[in-house]
Amino acid sequence: MDYKISIIEGLPVWDALPVGKIIHYPLEKRDYRPFAQVRLCANETDLYLRMWAFETHPSPKSILMARLQFDPAKSDKFLQIRADSMGGMTATVREGDSETPLAQYLVLPDLHAYRGEDLEGEYWGVVVKIPRKAIETVWGKDPIAPGYVIRGNLYKEDTADATRHMGSLFPVDPQKEDPFGKASFGSMMFVNY
């Protein structure tokens, strides 16, 4: 099933946007499956990504990650955004085995890390604002328009020994050579309601 990315005007009203739930933990043998959510939208100038995970004491190796392929019909490149529970972020463009920092394209995303608590528990997360100019610079065009489909997946990962896990928005096949790579990408369609 497609995940819908809303095209909006102005700044995001987060509670009005579709939520994607990271609930697929195919390799997890324990009950430790942190609940994580994502929301994406685009306005006239930027693509916004909000990710958060419910973890009371996240390890420093706990991360949220987005992998987005903006021209799946013509290019194997995908944008990878990784944000950790300590507020750090990396943004790279990956193609095959090569990885290029987004900074080399002279465009950087903005990051706002946050922590909080609500009736569901304690959480941490990030809001990332990616200029649409970055997408145009990397892929040669800005494809964001109603009906356009990109491919990708969003992940919750922790590589610490005591809390190791890997979950995703779209289901993955552990039998694949790279189960959390492009083989796990699902469709994400831009919509304008």
Side-chain angles (χ1 to χ4, degrees):
M1 183 169 138
D2 289 349
Y3 175 77
K4 306 276 191 280
I5 303 173
S6 297
I7 297 175
I8 63 169
E9 293 181 11
L11 295 175
V13 177
W14 293 112
D15 290 340
L17 298 172
V19 176
K21 297 176 184 176
I22 296 176
I23 57 172
H24 300 285
Y25 289 86
L27 303 175
E28 186 58 51
K29 294 176 175 58
R30 304 166 299 150
D31 286 335
Y32 192 69
R33 295 175 176 91
F35 182 60
Q37 297 178 321
V38 299
R39 286 186 166 131
L40 289 107
C41 66
N43 67 10
E44 304 83 3
T45 58
D46 301 294
L47 176 75
Y48 290 87
L49 167 65
R50 181 181 181 198
M51 302 181 284
W52 67 106
F54 286 86
E55 291 182 291
T56 304
H57 300 291
S59 86
K61 294 182 177 185
S62 184
I63 64 126
L64 291 162
M65 178 172 54
R67 290 180 170 177
L68 305 171
Q69 189 177 23
F70 288 94
D71 194 2
K74 296 182 182 171
S75 174
D76 283 342
K77 288 183 200 175
F78 62 87
L79 176 64
Q80 178 175 285
I81 303 284
R82 290 173 57 100
D84 65 44
S85 63
M86 308 280 75
M89 182 185 77
T90 60
T92 58
V93 176
R94 299 191 55 184
E95 184 172 24
D97 292 333
S98 70
E99 191 171 312
T100 306
L102 194 56
Q104 288 188 6
Y105 293 94
L106 304 178
V107 188
L108 289 176
D110 289 334
L111 168 75
H112 170 72
Y114 61 91
R115 292 184 179 276
E117 184 176 355
D118 64 14
L119 295 175
E120 295 180 37
E122 293 181 37
Y123 58 85
W124 66 275
V126 293
V127 174
V128 182
K129 182 173 80 167
I130 303 161
R132 287 175 60 168
K133 184 70 176 162
I135 298 164
E136 184 178 344
T137 301
V138 174
W139 280 272
K141 66 178 181 175
D142 176 359
I144 296 174
Y148 188 78
V149 176
I150 65 172
R151 303 221 8 109
N153 208 340
L154 296 118
Y155 307 93
K156 169 66 183 79
E157 177 184 22
D158 192 337
T159 57
D161 290 336
T163 53
R164 183 178 304 275
H165 60 266
M166 183 77 164
S168 61
L169 173 66
F170 294 112
V172 301
D173 182 355
Q175 304 303 316
K176 300 251 184 206
E177 182 178 334
D178 182 11
F180 293 95
K182 288 192 312 182
S184 74
F185 287 5
S187 296
M188 301 180 186
M189 184 188 330
F190 288 97
V191 296
N192 189 2
Y193 294 112

